[in-house]
Amino acid sequence: MKSTIPDTGVPIAPPSLNGGDRQEASLHGEILLRLRDYVVEGNIPEGGRVPERQLCEMLGISRTPLREALKVLAAEGLIELLPNRGARVRQLSQRDLEELFDVMAGLESLAGRLACEAITDAEITAIEQLHYEMYGRYLHRDMHGYFQANQRIHESIVAAARNETLTAAYANFAGRIRRVRYSANFARNRQRWAEAMREHEAILDALRRRAASELSDILFQHLRNKRAAAIEHLTEPREDAPVSS
């Protein structure tokens, strides 16, 4: 798997003296992005402790900004903070996955239906561009880039629904299964990655036609298929897990 964190310490540039608040916000965002990718892409085992010293060395930062980023990942549901014992990657049971994916399927299904009523031509064009970017990543077997574009497509459909309550609920649950959605593409006994790409073609087609009921059904089944792949991957032998190349 491709990670955004380098193998050797490459410090993130500290904020300059000018525009301090804006620079600090940018620095915090970059740390958070890279740390989130590191966890999502399976570089720490399920239930494993977060190696703070190692991450500080790789990111070239102190523990204070690292721990601030860990608080955000804990709020997103990716990790758990342990009182006076650091943090660990949140481990989800099969039952947890079933329930979370069913809730996400319902939310995305509703988002698709509402989006067809409110989405603009410009928003559809932007989603089309993301789709073609994602397809290019798929052809080059770039899972990291593919996943980033994939998530932006789903988030764009939710945003196009124009429903703040739905958006908040979606964000609350999305973080908890982001890591599992990523790893589900590696399910051994099915070509999940290719399946997901074909499903996204159907999603885009229905969105272009603003076929609300059809898009709603496609998105619901898309999440159900992802759930099946995630559970399959969860139960695979540990030695078959994907490794960085």
Side-chain angles (χ1 to χ4, degrees), residues 60-94:
I61 59 175
S62 68
R63 289 202 172 185
T64 298
L66 178 71
R67 287 176 175 171
E68 289 301 311
L70 289 175
K71 290 178 183 178
V72 176
L73 296 189
E76 292 178 355
L78 272 174
I79 66 169
E80 295 176 294
L81 298 178
L82 308 173
N84 302 315
R85 290 182 294 142
R88 68 184 175 195
V89 174
R90 183 181 294 274
Q91 190 166 16
L92 300 174
S93 67
Q94 180 171 332

Side-chain angles (χ1 to χ4, degrees), residues 142-226:
D142 174 8
M143 175 57 77
H144 173 81
Y146 168 90
F147 187 73
Q148 295 299 317
N150 179 292
Q151 293 301 287
R152 287 166 64 194
I153 289 171
H154 285 276
E155 291 165 0
S156 296
I157 293 173
V158 172
R162 307 285 196 274
N163 186 303
E164 292 184 6
T165 301
L166 172 60
T167 299
Y170 180 84
N172 181 44
F173 290 106
R176 303 188 198 182
I177 61 171
R178 184 178 283 114
R179 174 185 169 102
V180 182
R181 289 184 81 152
Y182 182 92
S183 64
N185 292 294
F186 295 100
R188 184 183 58 185
N189 295 327
R190 63 170 66 208
Q191 295 296 319
R192 178 56 203 159
W193 197 357
E195 287 180 359
M197 195 65 239
R198 288 191 292 270
E199 289 164 8
H200 266 272
E201 290 175 349
I203 289 169
L204 180 59
D205 176 65
L207 187 61
R208 283 170 174 156
R209 293 183 286 110
R210 292 177 170 80
S213 295
E214 183 178 342
L215 180 58
S216 178
D217 291 343
I218 292 170
L219 284 167
F220 187 88
Q221 190 58 49
H222 178 62
L223 268 291
R224 271 297 180 88
N225 292 342
K226 180 74 78 172

Side-chain angles (χ1 to χ4, degrees), residues 1-3 7 41-44 141 143-144 182-183 186 233 236-245:
M1 292 178 293
K2 181 179 178 182
S3 173
D7 294 330
E41 293 174 11
N43 292 286
I44 306 172
R141 316 309 289 172
M143 175 57 77
H144 173 81
Y182 182 92
S183 64
F186 295 100
H233 185 70
E236 285 176 355
R238 179 66 59 184
E239 60 268 22
D240 288 340
V243 297
S244 298
S245 59

